């Protein structure tokens, strides 16, 4: 089974510029069957309630494996996810469960990106476009790719693990991992970046 690998190709402190570049990369592929998803980490009750009200179709969850082990019965519902309209606004309930993550997955391309980019603020977040199809480029010995063709935009973070906050935003292209042909893998990522006037600016991310 194949799996994608990603390369950073653009970085900026301006979220609107980052979104523009990410969308240009999406257009390099065939977006006919593409979908877009978003995810954001919320570390205060105020931010949880702000996003809940702004994105009423979002889902909230807790990413805490130790908490799951302590109480696998999941009385809060936050292990599997709580729909925004059903999420309590009681600070006494929310505070012990912070940080919470809010997500919306597999939406039509163009339906949520601008709104989310305007809402994410200083929080760590991500927009990713999946189910693209990268085109052939026979002159460069590059051939079409569907299963692993994605674009990611990381807000206030530089790694796909979303694990360290920074003050800039990074765009990444994803393509097929080629464990025994790293040169071909890197050439594909570089070619994709070049189609929008960008270039690979850092090492691959698993």
């Amino acid at each position: 089974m194949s799996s994608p690998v990603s390369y950073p190709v653009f970085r900026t402190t301006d979220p609107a510029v980052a979104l523009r570049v990410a969308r240009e990369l999406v257009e390099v592929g065939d977006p006919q069957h593409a979908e877009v998803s978003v995810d954001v980490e919320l570390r205060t009750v105020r931010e949880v309630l702000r996003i809940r009200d702004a994105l009423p179709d979002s889902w909230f969850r807790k990413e805490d494996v130790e908490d799951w082990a302590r109480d696998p019965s999941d009385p809060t519902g936050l292990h599997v996810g709580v729909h925004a309209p059903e999420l309590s606004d009681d600070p006494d309930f929310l505070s012990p469960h912070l940080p919470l993550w809010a997500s919306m997955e597999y939406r039509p391309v163009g339906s949520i990106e601008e709104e989310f980019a305007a809402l994410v603020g200083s929080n760590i977040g991500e927009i990713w476009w999946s189910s693209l199809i990268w085109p052939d480029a026979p002159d460069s010995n590059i051939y079409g790719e569907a299963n692993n063709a994605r674009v990611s935009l990381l807000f206030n973070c530089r790694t796909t693990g979303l694990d360290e906050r920074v003050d800039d935003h990074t765009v990444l292209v994803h393509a097929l991992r080629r464990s025994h042909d790293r040169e071909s893998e890197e050439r594909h990522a570089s070619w994709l970046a070049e189609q929008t006037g960008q270039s690979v600016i850092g090492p691959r991310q698993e």
Side-chain angles (χ1 to χ4, degrees):
M1 183 176 181
S2 63
S3 57
V5 63
S6 59
Y7 285 84
V9 299
F10 183 74
R11 185 168 291 130
T12 178
T13 57
D14 188 329
V17 173
L19 179 58
R20 175 179 58 78
V21 170
R23 282 175 154 168
E24 289 173 355
L25 283 163
V26 170
E27 290 300 319
V28 173
D30 180 350
Q32 181 178 356
H33 302 292
E35 298 172 309
V36 63
S37 303
V38 300
D39 205 11
V40 60
E41 182 190 41
L42 306 167
R43 305 194 68 87
T44 68
V45 170
R46 180 178 181 179
E47 285 296 275
V48 169
L49 296 180
R50 181 177 72 89
I51 296 299
R52 184 199 66 167
D53 293 342
L55 300 176
D57 201 24
S58 57
W59 288 80
F60 291 78
R61 71 187 189 282
K62 186 174 183 178
E63 293 283 351
D64 186 343
V65 175
E66 292 180 0
D67 182 67
W68 299 356
R70 284 191 299 269
D71 191 352
S73 66
D74 189 22
T76 66
L78 290 169
H79 295 178
V80 295
V82 175
H83 200 205
E86 299 168 359
L87 183 70
S88 172
D89 61 2
D90 182 356
D92 291 336
F93 167 76
L94 294 171
S95 293
H97 302 296
L98 296 173
L100 292 179
W101 288 81
S103 61
M104 298 173 67
E105 297 185 333
Y106 308 120
R107 305 305 171 100
V109 171
S111 65
I112 57 175
E113 295 96 313
E114 287 189 15
E115 181 180 13
F116 181 81
L119 288 168
V120 69
S122 61
N123 300 300
I124 289 176
E126 180 179 17
I127 303 175
W128 71 96
W129 294 261
S130 55
S131 300
L132 297 166
I133 302 175
W134 294 137
D136 290 327
D139 292 345
S140 300
N141 199 29
I142 290 171
Y143 299 95
E145 168 65 25
N147 293 336
N148 304 283
R150 305 175 192 172
V151 172
S152 293
L153 167 51
L154 309 182
F155 294 95
N156 306 303
C157 190
R158 294 184 177 182
T159 62
T160 54
L162 304 179
D163 52 7
E164 184 176 350
R165 194 192 174 285
V166 296
D167 292 323
D168 52 36
H169 321 295
T170 298
V171 178
L172 303 100
V173 294
H174 303 245
L176 176 65
R177 176 188 283 108
R178 296 177 172 89
S179 299
H180 303 294
D181 189 1
R182 183 74 65 85
E183 181 180 350
S184 176
E185 176 188 286
E186 293 178 356
R187 186 171 65 252
H188 193 184
S190 295
W191 183 87
L192 291 167
E194 288 166 3
Q195 306 317 298
T196 60
Q198 308 303 329
S199 61
V200 170
I201 59 172
R204 77 200 299 250
Q205 297 187 27
E206 301 286 342

